[in-house]
Amino acid sequence: MSVELYFCEVPTNSYANELCSVASGINLAKENCLSVSDLNLNQKLSICAEMLTRLKIAEKFQVPNYNIDIRRNKYGKPYVNNIPESFFNISHTENVFCVAISDSEIGVDIEKIKPQNINIAKRFFDKFEIDYILSNDNQDRAFGEIWTKKEAYIKCTGEGLSRVLSSFCVLAKEIDLKIRTISIGDYIISIYGEIDKVNVINLEYAELIEKCIKDLL
């Protein structure tokens, strides 16, 4: 199975008003947050990610945006309610987001590689995962690798953080074989699912806004 992984950096100092105009036009601005000043960074990234998801599903299945019914399960996992053969997952951190689109269940997580406190690993990780981090020459990257793998796994299964992170080990063969981990600059991304190939597409923010205005409104 081939996965399309879209990666986009959103300039924190140049959130154009077009973002909220598009969001409002396709009913994505939650709780009447229709101006840039009303939206926090996470809301802006979530809106961008859903706009991109809608754009790609509309292109792939040749359906108008208003026919794409995105809902969430009881743990918060988003899914397309009326196109059962379409699967996606989104993640964001700092000022970047990514979207993974697939033909079967998928989970994705992105984190920035930065200094970490090993006590966090001892709290949330399995013993073998902690040993893996401590034995690695780049412990900060190893931490990010384990963290994103765990998040991608529980996002794919749909359990979210209802499942205790230390209750499973992503280095176990049955899990690790289904994970692909890549780095883009200072960011590490893990994808979990039935994956043969990952096609990485870097998308410019301005291009995303332009295409959404043209194809979604």
Side-chain angles (χ1 to χ4, degrees):
M1 177 192 70
S2 178
V3 175
E4 303 293 328
L5 178 68
Y6 296 89
F7 174 90
C8 184
E9 182 175 356
V10 182
T12 55
N13 61 348
S14 61
Y15 281 109
N17 287 328
E18 286 89 342
L19 170 61
C20 289
S21 297
V22 176
S24 176
I26 61 178
N27 298 318
L28 290 187
K30 306 294 191 297
E31 300 176 358
N32 298 317
C33 293
L34 302 180
S35 69
V36 173
S37 61
D38 289 331
L39 296 172
N40 62 38
L41 178 58
N42 285 337
Q43 287 173 315
K44 292 170 183 176
L45 291 170
S46 293
I47 287 174
C48 285
E50 185 166 335
M51 287 195 304
L52 176 57
T53 300
R54 288 178 172 275
L55 186 68
K56 295 306 172 181
I57 291 175
E59 289 177 357
K60 182 175 181 179
F61 294 96
Q62 294 297 293
V63 295
N65 168 59
Y66 57 78
N67 280 346
I68 301 173
D69 181 17
I70 294 180
R71 301 187 184 184
R72 294 180 178 272
N73 72 7
K74 63 180 180 178
Y75 299 117
K77 181 181 180 180
Y79 66 96
V80 185
N81 182 55
N82 57 336
I83 309 178
E85 62 271 36
S86 178
F87 299 88
F88 74 95
N89 205 234
I90 68 177
S91 183
H92 56 76
T93 187
E94 302 284 333
N95 63 310
V96 304
F97 71 90
C98 62
V99 175
I101 296 180
S102 170
D103 295 327
S104 63
E105 291 287 0
I106 197 79
V108 66
D109 191 61
I110 181 172
E111 297 292 339
K112 188 171 185 178
I113 301 171
K114 54 188 176 183
Q116 298 291 344
N117 186 336
I118 193 62
N119 289 326
I120 297 176
K122 292 177 179 178
R123 179 181 176 187
F124 292 106
F125 294 172
D126 170 270
K127 178 184 182 303
F128 293 103
E129 295 167 341
I130 297 171
D131 290 344
Y132 174 78
I133 294 170
L134 293 176
S135 65
N136 201 289
D137 291 337
N138 188 337
Q139 292 187 7
D140 294 331
R141 188 191 186 285
F143 180 99
E145 177 187 344
I146 296 296
W147 185 274
T148 56
K149 284 182 174 182
K150 292 179 92 69
E151 287 277 349
Y153 174 70
I154 59 176
K155 289 174 74 176
C156 181
T157 62
E159 299 167 286
L161 291 176
S162 67
R163 182 164 183 182
V164 179
L165 290 178
S166 60
S167 67
F168 62 96
C169 178
V170 292
L171 300 178
K173 185 177 180 180
E174 64 273 16
I175 295 178
D176 194 45
L177 284 175
K178 294 184 177 182
I179 299 178
R180 299 290 183 274
T181 299
I182 63 173
S183 296
I184 300 178
D186 294 331
Y187 296 92
I188 188 165
I189 305 170
S190 289
I191 311 165
Y192 180 87
E194 299 292 340
I195 304 168
D196 295 323
K197 181 181 179 182
V198 178
N199 298 315
V200 180
I201 301 99
N202 280 284
L203 187 66
E204 294 291 332
Y205 173 72
E207 179 186 353
L208 170 63
I209 294 297
E210 181 180 348
K211 283 186 67 65
C212 287
I213 292 173
K214 176 183 177 183
D215 297 337
L216 292 185
L217 291 179

